[in-house]
Coordinates of all heavy atoms in Angstrom, one line a residue:
V195 N 83.7 90.0 -54.9 CA 83.7 90.1 -53.4 C 82.8 89.1 -52.8 O 83.1 88.5 -51.7 CB 83.3 91.6 -53.0 CG1 81.8 91.8 -53.3 CG2 83.6 91.8 -51.6
F196 N 81.7 88.8 -53.5 CA 80.8 87.7 -52.9 C 81.5 86.4 -53.0 O 81.4 85.5 -52.1 CB 79.5 87.7 -53.7 CG 78.5 88.8 -53.3 CD1 78.3 89.8 -54.2 CD2 77.9 88.8 -52.1 CE1 77.4 90.9 -53.8 CE2 77.1 89.8 -51.7 CZ 76.8 90.9 -52.6
G197 N 82.2 86.1 -54.2 CA 82.9 84.9 -54.3 C 84.0 84.7 -53.4 O 84.2 83.6 -52.8
Y198 N 84.7 85.8 -53.1 CA 85.9 85.8 -52.2 C 85.4 85.5 -50.8 O 85.9 84.6 -50.1 CB 86.6 87.1 -52.2 CG 87.7 87.2 -51.1 CD1 88.9 86.6 -51.4 CD2 87.5 87.8 -49.9 CE1 89.9 86.7 -50.4 CE2 88.5 87.9 -49.0 CZ 89.7 87.3 -49.2 OH 90.7 87.4 -48.3
N199 N 84.3 86.1 -50.3 CA 83.8 85.9 -49.0 C 83.3 84.4 -48.8 O 83.5 83.8 -47.8 CB 82.6 86.8 -48.7 CG 83.1 88.3 -48.5 OD1 84.2 88.5 -48.1 ND2 82.2 89.2 -48.8
Y200 N 82.7 83.9 -49.9 CA 82.2 82.5 -49.8 C 83.4 81.6 -49.7 O 83.4 80.6 -48.9 CB 81.4 82.2 -51.1 CG 81.0 80.8 -51.3 CD1 80.0 80.2 -50.6 CD2 81.8 80.0 -52.2 CE1 79.7 78.8 -50.7 CE2 81.5 78.6 -52.3 CZ 80.4 78.1 -51.6 OH 80.1 76.7 -51.8
L201 N 84.4 81.8 -50.5 CA 85.6 80.9 -50.5 C 86.4 81.1 -49.2 O 86.9 80.1 -48.7 CB 86.5 81.2 -51.7 CG 85.9 80.9 -53.1 CD1 86.8 81.4 -54.2 CD2 85.7 79.4 -53.2
F202 N 86.4 82.3 -48.7 CA 87.1 82.5 -47.5 C 86.5 81.8 -46.3 O 87.2 81.2 -45.5 CB 87.2 84.0 -47.2 CG 87.9 84.4 -45.9 CD1 89.3 84.4 -45.9 CD2 87.2 84.7 -44.7 CE1 89.9 84.7 -44.7 CE2 87.8 85.0 -43.6 CZ 89.2 85.0 -43.5
A203 N 85.1 81.8 -46.3 CA 84.4 81.1 -45.2 C 84.7 79.6 -45.3 O 84.9 78.9 -44.3 CB 82.9 81.4 -45.3
N204 N 84.6 79.1 -46.6 CA 84.9 77.6 -46.8 C 86.3 77.3 -46.4 O 86.6 76.2 -45.8 CB 84.6 77.2 -48.2 CG 83.2 77.0 -48.5 OD1 82.3 77.1 -47.6 ND2 82.8 76.7 -49.7
T205 N 87.2 78.1 -46.7 CA 88.6 77.9 -46.4 C 88.9 77.8 -44.9 O 89.5 76.9 -44.4 CB 89.6 78.9 -47.0 OG1 89.4 78.9 -48.4 CG2 91.0 78.7 -46.7
K206 N 88.3 78.8 -44.2 CA 88.4 78.8 -42.7 C 87.8 77.5 -42.1 O 88.3 77.0 -41.1 CB 87.7 80.0 -42.1 CG 88.4 81.3 -42.6 CD 89.8 81.4 -42.1 CE 90.0 81.5 -40.6 NZ 91.4 81.7 -40.2
R207 N 86.7 77.1 -42.7 CA 86.0 75.9 -42.1 C 86.9 74.6 -42.3 O 87.1 73.8 -41.4 CB 84.7 75.6 -42.8 CG 83.9 74.4 -42.3 CD 82.7 74.1 -43.1 NE 82.9 73.8 -44.5 CZ 82.0 73.4 -45.3 NH1 80.7 73.4 -45.0 NH2 82.3 73.2 -46.6
L208 N 87.5 74.5 -43.5 CA 88.4 73.4 -43.8 C 89.7 73.5 -43.0 O 90.2 72.4 -42.5 CB 88.8 73.4 -45.3 CG 87.9 72.4 -46.2 CD1 86.5 73.0 -46.2 CD2 88.5 72.3 -47.6
I209 N 90.2 74.7 -42.7 CA 91.4 74.8 -41.8 C 91.0 74.4 -40.4 O 91.8 73.7 -39.8 CB 91.9 76.2 -41.9 CG1 92.5 76.5 -43.2 CG2 92.9 76.5 -40.8 CD1 92.9 78.0 -43.4
T210 N 89.9 74.7 -39.9 CA 89.4 74.3 -38.6 C 89.3 72.8 -38.5 O 89.7 72.2 -37.5 CB 88.1 75.0 -38.2 OG1 88.3 76.4 -38.2 CG2 87.6 74.5 -36.8
E211 N 88.7 72.2 -39.5 CA 88.6 70.7 -39.6 C 90.0 70.1 -39.6 O 90.2 69.0 -39.0 CB 87.8 70.3 -40.8 CG 86.3 70.7 -40.7 CD 85.5 70.4 -42.0 OE1 86.2 70.0 -43.0 OE2 84.3 70.5 -41.9

Side-chain angles (χ1 to χ4, degrees):
V195 72
F196 284 109
Y198 175 83
N199 290 334
Y200 170 79
L201 293 173
F202 180 78
N204 277 0
T205 300
K206 296 300 291 183
R207 181 183 66 175
L208 264 66
I209 291 174
T210 300
E211 292 177 352

